[in-house]
Amino acid sequence: MAQAKRPRLSSNGSDASSLPLFCGFELTEKKVISLPASLGPVSAVSAWPTGKAGHFTADSTADKHAVFAVGTSHGCIALVYSDESTVVLENSGSSAVLQLLAKDSSAPASAISDAKPVPDVVAGDADGQVLVYVLGRVFSRNTLPAPISTLSADLNPNMPSSFSVGDMSGTIASCHAQDTLWRAQLDMGSQALPVVPGGADQRAAARLLDPTVNSACSVWLSDNHGLLTSYVLAASAQGFIQLLSRGIPVHTIPLSTPCTSVCPGVFVASDISRELPGSSYTQAIVGDGSGQLLVLDNFELVPYAQVEYPIARIFSLPLRAFVGHDGPDVVVCATLSDTIYVLHQRKIVATYSAAFWPSAVDIVADFPGIGPAIVLVEPEALAGKSSSSSLHIISLRPLLDG
């Protein structure tokens, strides 16, 4: 835990003193990486590095690599580098890959080559298997009751190698490479659901709905005593989000529309200093199938923005990745369409329309020669065209005032 002043939100707009130095973004396709047809159709992607980027400079990573872990419906997992080289990981014999998470390597420094980086990769498949790859080889294997529906890194600085995993049966677990730390079952329990006209028993109806854990993330929230505590935030397809501490549900929030994606960060004005441990993740943004975006802070939801299409995935990047000061995070919102939205301080500041519906989306904190970027997976083309998937790198260039 860390002592902090309890954050106060401004629901009426931004403080003028904290306005950003930019007026929007220009989104431009900078690179297309064609993948070997032998990999099969790409069903999941995870970019590395994914952490906090530095100042936005066009050549800040000229001598570095960005790495994309890609998984396919054939069960193949590969690392794709920014120089377009590809390394297929050890064959696990798994079924279709549904979720991927690329993380900093946990291998001993003496085992890490000075050549191209090989991040740890966590893969979740259609059989409920969770496989952890270290230095390109299967290090551990775990199994959940149903196909894996979400993977996310644990942002608790005391547990840097752990991650959260959820499946289609409502199971949520916290794991690391060697073991499962805890496992729980999402359940609405005795929590009241919103009342609808006609007096329908929504709790009974909810039991008939899909129990899938749609999304999960870790977040630090401040209590009434000003203490920051780490929680896992899990969103159920049954229409609620639940906060868990060490596997124990501590707070449940019913939703009018099921949440499809959650993402940690700081999105609206807060008094918490970013210098405190975990304070870069003291809020979470919640998106749903109606295109609504909400911010969770102090265990309450605050309206953020509305987009036109149902939300598929939400990502965040620190403002400092683009300008020379801190502020609310920049939000990248992928939808169930060909449209990507970029938002900041409750406003849509840029949109990008691809020529296809991406089969997977992620962000990369620092792509060589580009900086922060969005990666879109173009699925295998129709007959008569290329039969391989490809990665489209979309730059996020800030448009500065003056």
Side-chain angles (χ1 to χ4, degrees), residues 44-368:
V45 65
S46 182
W48 182 90
T50 59
K52 297 285 181 178
H55 294 280
F56 182 91
T57 56
D59 57 356
S60 62
T61 56
D63 298 323
K64 300 179 182 178
H65 289 281
V67 188
F68 303 100
V70 297
T72 75
S73 58
H74 295 170
C76 180
I77 301 172
L79 297 179
V80 181
Y81 291 86
S82 48
D83 63 3
E84 303 192 33
S85 61
T86 302
V87 176
V88 177
L89 302 188
E90 179 181 72
N91 186 352
S92 66
S94 67
S95 61
V97 178
L98 302 181
Q99 298 290 327
L100 282 176
L101 176 64
K103 305 165 69 268
D104 291 346
S105 178
S106 59
S110 59
I112 299 176
S113 169
D114 291 333
K116 292 180 179 178
V118 181
D120 287 359
V121 176
V122 184
D125 69 20
D127 289 334
Q129 289 191 105
V130 180
L131 298 102
V132 178
Y133 291 81
V134 176
L135 296 179
R137 298 194 174 191
V138 176
F139 180 80
S140 67
R141 189 187 306 255
N142 202 346
T143 304
L144 267 63
I148 304 304
S149 55
T150 184
L151 282 171
S152 63
D154 192 334
L155 302 177
N156 187 337
N158 299 317
M159 305 174 68
S161 63
S162 62
F163 55 91
S164 299
V165 54
D167 73 7
M168 293 184 182
S169 73
T171 300
I172 181 76
S174 179
C175 308
H176 56 66
Q178 293 82 12
D179 200 3
T180 298
L181 302 175
W182 55 258
R183 181 181 294 194
Q185 190 75 22
L186 292 190
D187 186 1
M188 195 67 192
S190 61
Q191 297 292 328
L193 285 166
V195 176
V196 297
D201 185 350
Q202 287 198 56
R203 186 177 299 111
R207 297 192 187 102
L208 302 177
L209 298 177
D210 181 1
T212 297
V213 182
N214 280 342
S215 186
C217 70
S218 66
V219 64
W220 287 73
L221 296 179
S222 174
D223 62 18
N224 290 324
H225 304 288
L227 295 175
L228 286 175
T229 303
S230 177
Y231 299 93
V232 169
L233 173 65
S236 171
Q238 292 185 341
F240 64 92
I241 56 179
Q242 198 160 67
L243 287 154
L244 302 99
S245 176
R246 299 182 181 179
I248 300 174
V250 296
H251 189 60
T252 303
I253 304 175
L255 302 171
S256 58
T257 304
C259 170
T260 53
S261 183
V262 294
C263 176
V266 175
F267 305 100
V268 291
S270 173
D271 292 337
I272 288 184
S273 166
R274 283 179 175 269
E275 298 302 317
L276 291 169
S279 61
S280 292
Y281 310 103
T282 54
Q283 297 168 358
I285 195 161
V286 176
D288 66 25
S290 71
Q292 180 179 215
L293 291 163
L294 306 165
V295 170
L296 176 70
D297 183 272
N298 290 335
F299 304 95
E300 297 179 354
L301 291 174
V302 178
Y304 185 81
Q306 178 76 42
V307 299
E308 185 176 357
Y309 301 104
I311 293 166
R313 289 287 304 276
I314 308 173
F315 309 93
S316 67
L317 281 166
L319 183 62
R320 188 170 286 278
F322 306 99
V323 297
H325 62 83
D326 286 324
D329 292 341
V330 174
V331 177
V332 177
C333 182
T335 64
L336 296 179
S337 73
D338 61 355
T339 302
I340 305 294
Y341 294 92
V342 181
L343 305 96
H344 188 248
Q345 298 195 129
R346 296 188 171 91
K347 295 181 180 179
I348 298 172
V349 294
T351 59
Y352 180 83
S353 294
F356 54 89
W357 281 32
S359 59
V361 182
D362 204 356
I363 58 171
V364 56
D366 231 350
F367 192 93

Side-chain angles (χ1 to χ4, degrees), residues 20-28 30 54-58 317-324 330 342 344 349-350 370-373 394-402:
L21 299 178
F22 65 90
C23 55
F25 286 93
E26 180 181 63
L27 276 64
T28 307
K30 291 291 189 179
H55 294 280
F56 182 91
T57 56
L317 281 166
L319 183 62
R320 188 170 286 278
F322 306 99
V323 297
V330 174
V342 181
H344 188 248
V349 294
I370 294 176
I394 314 300
S395 68
L396 279 161
R397 187 177 72 87
L399 301 176
L400 302 179
D401 288 332

